[in-house]
Each structure stands twice: as structure tokens, then as C-alpha cells.
Amino acid sequence: MTTRSRARACSVATVATAAALVLSACSGGGDGGPTPSATPVGKAVSQTCAELLPAEALSVYGKTFTLDDSFTPAKGSPAATIAKQRGRVCQFVATDDDAVTITLAVADLPEKSLTNLKDALYDRGGSVPTYRVEGYFALSGAVGRADAFADPYWITTQSTLFTEPGGAQPVVDAVRAALQPSATATATPAG
């Protein structure tokens, strides 16, 4: 592992840890400090995995995907943090190669939590203006991770298919459209 890839891996781990700390601090107990069993600060995400990421959005990857209903996110991952905040966590698996997955997690969070998460990601770097909302991308080894903030939502997705920011664009766009249909009025010119 090169120094640069170690730095990236550390950066991604730091952001995941920061997200957990930020969210637990925002849901602190009565004594003003965070508590491990604190009540989630997020609101439930009502959209299903299929509504957030329809099959048509995944077709750009040249594979067919199915939803893994038994998926549990890795402890300490952004998806695990979102699950604790009553968010929606989904994993789609390629039907021809179960090693190819797309993990998606969406949380509906208070403004203070979102601001703290955005600040942590901004400090890490990797801003992506093409996500049309505040967005970031990082590559750790062979796995690319995109984070986007369609306020009040935190969208995070990762996959080995995401080798650069544009690789995650179809997922980010589909989820943004499902969460805020009126916010996606940016038209594509007819050609």
C-alpha cells in the first residue's frame, strides 16, 4: 500500500468515525454529553430501496442487480451510522457476480448534523460539483464512495464500480430525484 492510498484509507475511516461521533453528540443525553444508547436524531426515510434506486438507474453499469434483503452494514461504516439514525440502507448485488455490489444509505438529519458532516467531508477534500448538491468523492483501494447532501438528506453510496466521481453519478442522481422530485428541475436539452 502506498503512502497516498494509506492516507486515503485513513481519511475515509476518519470521516466514518466523525459521522458516528457527530450524530451521537447531536443526540446527547440529559447531562449534555453523548450517550451510547442515545435516541436517533434522524427521521425515518419512507422511500423503499427500489424507490430510491430503480433498476433503470442501475442499467448504466451494464449489469442486472437484485436487492440483498439480508444485508447488514459493517460496524462503524457510514451505512451503519445511517441505519442507527432510522435511515434507509440498501445493497444491490450483480446477478452475474455477487462480488459486485452497490451499497446505498440515506438519512434524513437535522441541519446541525448535516453541517457537521459536510464540514468533515469538506476538510477531507474531493468536492464534486456535478452532483448538483454539495457532494464529495473518495477512492479507497478499489472502492469508490460518494456522499451527497440533498438537504435534509445525507446520501452515501459505495461500490467497486465507482472508480471516479462520475461512476457514482447515476446513483446520486436517481436518489436525489426520488427524495426531492421538485428539486431536480434541471432539464437536459433534447438532442
Side-chain angles (χ1 to χ4, degrees):
M1 182 180 268
T2 66
T3 302
R4 177 181 259 170
S5 61
R6 269 194 295 272
R8 284 184 183 160
C10 289
S11 177
V12 171
T14 300
V15 170
T17 302
L21 292 174
V22 163
L23 293 173
S24 67
C26 291
S27 60
D31 64 355
T35 58
S37 60
T39 305
V41 297
K43 295 178 186 172
V45 173
S46 61
Q47 292 87 348
T48 66
C49 292
E51 290 170 335
L52 289 169
L53 193 54
E56 307 85 64
L58 296 172
S59 66
V60 300
Y61 298 108
K63 296 183 175 293
T64 304
F65 289 86
T66 59
L67 181 64
D68 179 357
D69 292 323
S70 65
F71 173 70
T72 302
K75 186 177 181 178
S77 68
T81 299
I82 285 176
K84 289 179 184 174
Q85 294 303 317
R86 298 187 287 211
R88 179 75 60 197
V89 177
C90 317
Q91 186 171 65
F92 298 87
V93 181
T95 56
D96 65 341
D97 182 357
D98 62 3
V100 177
T101 62
I102 295 175
T103 302
L104 169 67
V106 179
D108 181 343
L109 299 170
E111 183 179 353
K112 181 170 178 49
S113 296
L114 288 174
T115 299
N116 291 336
L117 288 165
K118 290 174 186 178
D119 289 349
L121 288 163
Y122 177 82
D123 288 344
R124 179 194 75 192
S127 178
V128 183
T130 59
Y131 290 167
R132 297 187 190 136
V133 292
E134 188 169 343
Y136 301 90
F137 181 82
L139 190 61
S140 178
V143 179
R145 176 178 151 202
D147 292 277
F149 295 92
D151 295 349
Y153 299 100
W154 171 28
I155 303 163
T156 185
T157 184
Q158 66 180 35
S159 177
T160 54
L161 295 171
F162 307 156
T163 57
E164 49 91 23
Q169 187 83 45
V171 173
V172 171
D173 287 349
V175 176
R176 252 187 340 95
L179 294 171
Q180 298 177 326
S182 62
T184 59
T186 306
T188 304

